[in-house]
Amino acid sequence: MQQQHPKVAIIGASGYAGAELANLVQKHPYLDLYGLYVSSTSKDAHRRFSELYPMYSSLVDQELIPLDDDQKAMNDIKQNADIICLCTAHEVSMKIAPEFITDDTKRVFDLSGAYRVNDPDFYEKYYNFKHTNLDWLESAVYGLAEWNADQIRDAKLIAVPGCYPTASLTALKPLFNAGLIDPDTMPIINAVSGVSGSGRKASLTSSFCEVSLNMYGVFGHRHRPEISHHLGQKVLFQPHLGNFKRGILATIYVKLKEGVTDEQISAAYHGAYDDKPLVRIQPNWSSIRSVEFTPFVDLHWQREDNMLIVSSAIDNLLKGASAQAMQCININCGYPVTTSLI
């Protein structure tokens, strides 16, 4: 008898990350796309997914089902879905994620920031809400796929990292773990993202006619403490919004310990990533063009004396969101890590 494939429900499926994830699930050979859901107030409720995203016509034509107040859709997901992916607002994810883990077979992959940092004060300071699911906050696993595979494999709740932290941590963790960074300094991350990182809702701040490579979140962006927390060293992080659709390019400045050599840097990166198929150490400077519409991270570095510059490029909607979620699903389910991605 053929083994039944896990059924996947995506909540928040009308947004950019949710749409990318729906496509990845539908072409996955070992997963079944069970249902696509939106909030009860969404204007997309009851529309066909392919109406919003015509490129998926005849591929993903399911109705976008609202999570109505009568709990019918929620109960249906709890009863029938094996994997629940949350592409929802942070506070919404915080509230509903534990509801779906009704037994040891259920898994939740949360693409919001609700479970990324095990510190209740972090959420009051940077997300403006009080975290009320502290047991799950403590047990959630950070889904940085190349680094936390062992924990992801057995986790019930996986917090998929943010797009900026993915680009930044992928570049910095090999250096930190090898003890190459001067501990008395803060790596400086200068990153630029396309407007799709702001979400699908129309806004003047992300309109192509208004955006002109502007910086935002100076000293106060919530991804700075997320990066620092999971790196183990404070960083200085400055994001910028560019007038292009998708992708992130992070240029990172690192002061190394005295005497660090090119050979040590190379060994740190190749030791970390030579067996990781979605991280590419490139011979030239990274660019968004090289990673757009792909699940890869592209890295390149150059040293002068004890100063190092590293470039890290990702597609913010794929490796920075849905593709990394799919990596985590593959790891958790025991599938090859690149299934449906390459």
Side-chain angles (χ1 to χ4, degrees):
M1 181 181 294
Q2 188 176 9
Q3 187 175 5
Q4 187 178 28
H5 293 163
K7 297 176 181 178
V8 181
I10 302 174
I11 301 176
S14 63
Y16 292 141
E20 295 281 0
L21 188 54
N23 178 50
L24 293 176
V25 172
Q26 68 84 23
K27 66 181 183 180
H28 197 292
Y30 310 122
L31 298 175
D32 289 334
L33 184 58
Y34 177 73
L36 302 176
Y37 300 85
V38 294
S39 71
S40 60
T41 59
S42 173
K43 295 180 180 179
D44 300 319
H46 298 299
R47 297 179 67 185
R48 293 286 171 183
F49 180 84
S50 55
E51 289 182 50
L52 305 183
Y53 297 99
M55 70 284 280
Y56 300 130
S57 180
S58 80
L59 298 173
V60 186
D61 291 317
Q62 294 188 24
E63 178 186 353
L64 292 164
I65 303 168
L67 296 179
D68 291 323
D69 295 334
D70 62 7
Q71 295 290 303
K72 180 180 179 181
M74 286 284 289
N75 291 333
D76 182 53
I77 297 169
K78 293 176 187 178
Q79 182 175 352
N80 295 300
D82 305 294
I83 294 170
I84 298 91
C85 299
L86 302 181
C87 304
T88 45
H90 312 293
E91 193 168 3
V92 173
S93 288
M94 183 271 294
K95 292 178 180 177
I96 69 174
E99 295 185 34
F100 296 111
I101 309 174
T102 54
D103 58 54
D104 287 341
T105 68
K106 306 289 187 180
R107 297 292 185 267
V108 171
F109 297 82
D110 178 25
L111 279 73
S112 84
Y115 290 92
R116 290 175 183 162
V117 176
N118 182 15
D119 178 3
D121 294 337
F122 169 81
Y123 292 93
E124 292 196 52
K125 183 174 181 180
Y126 292 100
Y127 284 85
N128 299 315
F129 68 82
K130 184 178 178 62
H131 211 295
T132 57
N133 284 318
L134 300 186
D135 288 344
W136 283 107
L137 181 62
E138 184 175 354
S139 64
V141 168
Y142 193 62
L144 193 63
E146 278 75 23
W147 290 91
N148 294 339
D150 289 342
Q151 299 96 309
I152 292 167
R153 194 169 289 114
D154 298 321
K156 295 180 181 180
L157 174 56
I158 293 90
V160 181
C163 49
Y164 282 127
T166 295
S168 303
L169 289 167
T170 303
L172 286 169
K173 281 185 76 68
L175 303 172
F176 179 83
N177 283 18
L180 305 183
I181 302 175
D182 185 333
D184 296 323
T185 64
M186 287 194 296
I188 299 171
I189 304 162
N190 182 36
V192 185
S193 174
V195 295
S196 58
S198 301
R200 183 166 166 260
K201 290 184 179 180
S203 169
L204 281 176
T205 59
S206 58
S207 167
F208 271 78
C209 295
E210 300 293 330
V211 172
S212 180
L213 190 57
N214 49 283
M215 55 199 296
Y216 65 100
V218 178
F219 288 120
H221 197 282
R222 58 182 57 144
H223 281 161
R224 181 187 181 190
E226 180 182 337
I227 297 167
S228 298
H229 178 85
H230 290 286
L231 180 63
Q233 181 171 350
K234 288 186 177 181
V235 301
L236 186 60
F237 169 67
Q238 182 53 57
H240 298 73
L241 188 63
N243 55 350
F244 52 93
K245 281 187 178 181
R246 57 197 295 161
I248 284 176
L249 179 64
T251 305
I252 303 170
Y253 308 90
V254 181
K255 185 178 180 182
L256 302 168
K257 291 180 179 177
E258 292 294 335
V260 171
T261 65
D262 286 358
E263 289 74 19
Q264 289 175 291
I265 299 166
S266 181
Y269 279 116
H270 285 283
Y273 296 130
D274 276 357
D275 62 343
K276 304 297 191 298
L278 296 182
V279 180
R280 304 186 296 195
I281 302 170
Q282 299 285 37
N284 300 302
W285 290 111
S286 310
S287 70
I288 288 174
R289 183 179 181 184
S290 71
V291 295
E292 190 179 22
F293 302 106
T294 82
F296 296 108
V297 185
D298 278 2
L299 300 175
H300 182 71
W301 59 269
Q302 187 170 322
R303 179 185 66 90
E304 183 177 282
D305 299 325
N306 66 339
M307 293 304 300
L308 180 74
I309 296 178
V310 187
S311 65
S312 178
I314 66 170
D315 186 309
N316 59 300
L317 298 178
L318 288 172
K319 181 57 176 173
S322 59
Q324 183 146 238
M326 182 55 69
Q327 275 185 271
C328 292
I329 292 171
N330 285 333
I331 292 168
N332 188 265
C333 293
Y335 307 137
V337 70
T338 60
T339 306
S340 100
L341 298 173
I342 299 178

